[in-house]
Amino acid sequence: MSPRRSPHFLLLLACLLPALAGAGERGARIVIDPGHGGAKEGAKGPGELWEKEIALQIAQRLREKLEAAGSEVFLTRDRDAQMALSERVEFSNIQRPDLFLSIHANSMPTKRLRERTEGIETYFLSANASGEAARAVADRENAEAPTARSARGHSTLAFILDDLARTEAHSDASRLAYAIHPRLVSKSGAADRGVQQAPFFVLTGVEAPAVLIEVGFISHPQEGARLGKAAYQETLAEAIADGVQAFLRETRRRDSSPPQPVAGSTAP
């Protein structure tokens, strides 16, 4: 016969069970990386608008939304401070994140291209860029990297990318990119420049699914002005947060599902 439990014990057990049940479902750990900072101002927008400011403002808004959804969020920088790309990667890995989001704004070099080029691009790491335009974006964002001026064939970046080509360590990064990108385009109404692949230095060493988001062209007269507005930044942050939550839900469903039998095999 089971021993009788006191009312106090049963009340304590009732209080503890929800906490114990949720212990295995902790909030995700997420690192957000606002691009540039300090003397590294990034691309120039209308008036006195700079990429480093836009990236930080959107990152801070995104942090609020992800924390409200139960995630633990870390920013590589939370003020206008310069931080090397290698330091961003090191900081991220110390946090042992579930995913990494790098926020940037795009730019074009000539007046004609600045007037006509706009839209959102979302990148995940690949040894080979999707095309010349993707390669140009990566080269611009990699300009602050310690290996940017060294021979590509002998650089640390090349070594890491060669290793990446032989592994599937970043296989979830493409799923994360495709979860975020369509929501960004839909909510913002911005031009869809697609999910792209490129060898970004800041994504190379992160030990988690990692994407780099170009939230728009700060060099475009109209889009650049929108990027500086609080309401539009809120829209972008909400869309990214929605994509992250969709990715996390899908990942948890996949990881909690029992393994499927191989075709042709018989169950014991």
Side-chain angles (χ1 to χ4, degrees):
M1 179 179 292
S2 300
R4 296 186 64 181
R5 305 297 187 184
S6 72
H8 294 294
F9 175 84
L10 294 174
L11 179 61
L12 177 62
L13 185 61
C15 293
L16 285 175
L17 281 175
L20 292 172
E25 298 181 2
R26 65 168 178 82
R29 294 172 65 87
I30 300 172
V31 171
I32 305 174
D33 172 46
H36 308 283
K40 304 295 185 180
E41 296 173 313
K44 179 74 168 61
E48 297 301 315
L49 199 62
W50 288 94
E51 180 183 1
K52 66 174 184 177
E53 300 165 352
I54 296 301
L56 180 58
Q57 290 162 4
I58 294 173
Q60 290 169 333
R61 297 177 190 279
L62 177 57
R63 174 174 59 184
E64 292 178 3
K65 297 183 184 306
L66 292 173
E67 286 179 341
S71 292
E72 187 175 7
V73 182
F74 307 88
L75 266 62
T76 56
R77 66 179 181 95
D78 58 7
R79 56 193 174 88
D80 184 15
Q82 188 168 322
M83 190 174 191
L85 296 181
S86 57
E87 293 174 332
R88 296 168 191 260
V89 173
E90 181 181 5
F91 171 87
S92 176
N93 289 335
I94 288 173
Q95 314 312 320
R96 301 182 65 83
D98 295 297
L99 55 92
F100 174 93
L101 310 166
S102 192
I103 308 296
H104 291 260
N106 223 328
S107 181
M108 279 294 176
T110 68
K111 181 178 179 181
R112 182 182 179 189
L113 288 174
R114 287 194 294 269
E115 289 176 348
R116 62 189 291 187
T117 309
E118 58 183 311
I120 292 172
E121 299 172 343
T122 306
Y123 287 86
F124 62 94
L125 182 66
S126 173
N128 300 306
S130 301
E132 287 304 314
R135 168 68 69 182
V137 174
D139 286 345
R140 182 173 69 82
E141 300 296 2
N142 289 341
E144 298 171 22
T147 57
R149 293 177 178 81
S150 64
R152 204 179 290 268
H154 301 284
S155 69
T156 301
L157 176 58
F159 175 81
I160 293 171
L161 291 173
D162 286 344
D163 184 65
L164 173 64
R166 296 190 299 268
T167 69
E168 296 181 1
H170 293 261
S171 60
D172 278 347
S174 63
R175 292 177 48 246
L176 177 59
Y178 280 103
I180 291 173
H181 185 78
R183 290 169 172 84
L184 263 176
V185 172
S186 176
K187 284 184 177 291
S188 68
D192 183 357
R193 293 179 59 87
V195 173
Q196 309 282 346
Q197 304 173 48
F200 287 96
F201 185 92
V202 76
L203 301 182
T204 56
V206 176
E207 297 167 359
V211 298
L212 185 144
I213 305 165
E214 296 281 358
V215 295
F217 281 78
I218 196 172
S219 58
H220 186 271
Q222 287 75 45
E223 188 165 64
R226 283 198 303 275
L227 287 170
K229 296 184 182 299
Y232 190 66
Q233 292 179 7
E234 280 287 308
T235 297
L236 295 173
E238 181 179 350
I240 297 171
D242 287 351
V244 167
Q245 294 306 316
F247 170 80
L248 292 173
R249 287 193 299 270
E250 180 188 345
T251 300
R252 284 166 181 159
R253 281 197 301 268
R254 179 196 65 186
D255 294 345
S256 62
S257 298
Q260 298 299 311
V262 178
S265 66
T266 57

